[in-house]
Amino acid sequence: MLQDVTVLDGGFAIAVDWDSGTRHRYHAVWLRDNAQGPETRDPGNGQRLITLADVPADISVTRAEVAGEGVQVTFSDGTAAQHFSGDWLQGHAYDGSADTAPAPHLPAECTQWDSNLNGAVPTGRWDTFLSDCEARAEWLGRVRELGFAKLTGGPTNSGALLDIVAAFGYVRETNYGKWFEVRSEINPTNLAYTGLGLQAHTDNPYRDPVPTLQILYCLENSAEGGDSMVVDGFAAAMRLHAESPDSFRLLSSHCARFEYAGSAGVRLTSRRPMIEVTPDGELTAIRFNNRSAAPITDVPFDDMQAYYAAYRRFGEIIDDPAMEVAFKLEPGESFIVDNTRVLHARRGYSGAGTRWLQGCYADKDGLLSTLSSLEHELGTA
């Protein structure tokens, strides 16, 4: 609960005191830029109506007082007093120590996992996912939390996977088409189209930006082997940091390179760290794909040997069976992965029987937007 508010430094900032004993400071220019009133935000769509140039560089707070469960602030530029709720201020607090090096951490609402999840793979039913808002919100919430989830009981007609995407967002079309076939080919343009086993990897690291979601949907699977596996890349990165902070630093501060030129008229390249973190230490993405790795040229000579040792160790952690969740998809079953976090793999399979999956890409912003809307409607946000 909010206890008190104080104007600081002649109006340069305010300090808000909470009953927990915490104090958060907010600059006047930041408050004015983020005001929620109709002069600043469109009442219909919430988009900002002003640019920073519309806010005086010397803006100050002339008055601040507790008002209900929030703070009422008056500014020196003559705009109407603005109200900031206590919940909003707490949710957007940025007043922390700038002297402490940030430790890597998971994003909010994410939970890391390993092979212990094998007995509790997050799973939803096709019919309820499509028809029931609560069931859809629960399934999407598990994807947000864990980075992957399964669906069972779906039809076995070609293109059914597009119905999953349509329930929360839009297909991300690529050079592979709206969707692609995952089965053995005589002259494959990608090793995914063979019976070979595939190391755990993220897809399309050579794109910028990468597709942030991937769906794989099973239509036939009578071949021996071919089990699907998933690994929490964030958990692997946190384990690497616990073992060797310097190895984590090397993989997160230098760019790797990725490339793909397996199809006529297509040459895709990118340079990004294998482990991406924000300046405050939040893990944002993993890019790991041995099949698409290009020569690494962005690491200084003096660091290259240690970089390769870190790269090797990261791969060993990813390959550790203790990190892996495995399952065999039956016809009508599918799974989704957050392609910026969860690596997926496949055990090799024999030529006997058939294995036919279809895959497609989508983007996480659509999933998170739909989930947020559903939670708001259901009152579970």
Side-chain angles (χ1 to χ4, degrees):
M1 294 291 292
L2 189 153
Q3 280 196 328
D4 196 15
V5 59
T6 308
V7 178
L8 303 176
D9 302 327
F12 174 71
I14 66 170
V16 177
D17 294 295
W18 310 93
D19 61 1
S20 62
T22 303
R23 165 172 277 205
H24 291 141
R25 295 167 297 174
Y26 305 87
H27 291 88
V29 65
W30 185 90
L31 289 165
R32 181 65 189 88
D33 183 47
N34 288 286
Q36 305 297 302
E39 305 88 351
T40 307
R41 298 276 182 172
D42 184 280
N45 57 39
Q47 292 189 315
R48 188 180 273 107
L49 298 172
I50 63 171
T51 68
L52 194 55
D54 297 315
V55 179
D58 61 352
I59 190 80
S60 63
V61 173
T62 57
R63 182 181 177 86
E65 56 187 344
V66 176
E69 295 183 358
V71 175
Q72 192 85 353
V73 180
T74 304
F75 297 95
S76 60
D77 64 351
T79 54
Q82 301 290 321
H83 185 268
F84 299 87
S85 75
D87 286 344
W88 189 91
L89 288 169
Q90 279 200 322
H92 295 84
Y94 59 91
D95 188 6
S97 172
D99 300 324
T100 305
H105 58 275
L106 269 64
E109 300 176 310
C110 286
T111 302
Q112 68 183 56
W113 47 269
D114 55 22
S115 62
N116 289 327
L117 197 63
N118 267 302
V121 172
T123 304
R125 289 283 304 174
W126 169 275
D127 51 355
T128 54
F129 169 76
L130 292 181
S131 63
D132 184 89
C133 289
E134 289 188 22
R136 189 179 314 137
E138 181 180 357
W139 191 82
L140 296 176
R142 297 292 274 168
V143 177
R144 177 179 62 191
E145 178 192 1
L146 301 173
F148 85 105
K150 283 180 62 180
L151 275 179
T152 62
T156 55
N157 56 288
S158 176
L161 76 173
L162 301 185
D163 292 335
I164 300 174
V165 179
F168 65 76
Y170 307 93
V171 169
R172 164 93 176 265
E173 189 166 357
T174 69
N175 57 291
Y176 300 116
K178 281 191 174 182
W179 75 78
F180 48 90
E181 311 291 341
V182 184
R183 53 184 171 187
S184 296
E185 295 179 356
I186 296 174
N187 295 305
T189 59
N190 192 302
L191 289 178
Y193 307 152
T194 71
L196 297 174
L198 300 176
Q199 184 187 31
H201 62 280
T202 59
D203 255 33
N204 291 205
Y206 39 75
R207 296 187 194 278
D208 197 0
V210 299
T212 48
L213 295 173
Q214 180 179 12
I215 293 172
L216 286 168
Y217 195 105
C218 180
L219 298 176
E220 298 176 9
N221 199 1
S222 58
E224 289 243 356
D227 290 14
S228 298
M229 297 170 286
V230 288
V231 174
D232 186 352
F234 285 176
M238 294 296 287
R239 179 172 159 185
L240 179 68
H241 182 269
E243 291 182 5
S244 172
D246 195 54
S247 293
F248 183 97
R249 178 190 61 79
L250 286 166
L251 295 188
S252 61
S253 60
H254 294 297
C255 285
R257 289 179 180 254
F258 303 93
E259 63 186 10
Y260 173 80
S263 303
V266 179
R267 296 192 69 84
L268 293 161
T269 61
S270 74
R271 52 183 298 274
R272 282 288 186 272
M274 290 189 194
I275 302 172
E276 293 190 57
V277 296
T278 62
D280 65 353
E282 182 174 285
L283 287 165
T284 58
I286 304 296
R287 292 193 189 213
F288 188 91
N289 190 317
N290 67 298
R291 289 173 290 132
S292 302
I296 297 167
T297 58
D298 295 281
V299 178
F301 180 89
D302 290 343
D303 287 338
M304 186 64 84
Q305 195 73 21
Y307 182 92
Y308 260 86
Y311 181 9
R312 180 186 302 275
R313 182 56 189 148
F314 193 41
E316 289 171 347
I317 291 172
I318 288 168
D319 289 341
D320 185 349
M323 302 294 292
E324 141 195 322
V325 171
F327 47 85
K328 183 166 184 173
L329 291 178
E330 300 297 332
E333 294 186 342
S334 57
F335 73 101
I336 187 171
V337 293
D338 177 343
N339 191 49
T340 64
R341 172 186 175 182
V342 173
L343 302 92
H344 63 284
R346 179 187 73 206
R347 293 197 173 100
Y349 61 95
S350 70
T354 59
R355 185 182 188 271
W356 177 21
L357 273 63
Q358 291 182 331
C360 73
Y361 300 114
D363 285 309
K364 195 164 58 173
D365 62 343
L367 184 150
L368 295 177
S369 173
T370 298
L371 174 58
S372 180
S373 297
L374 287 170
E375 289 177 333
H376 181 75
E377 293 170 12
L378 297 168
T380 58

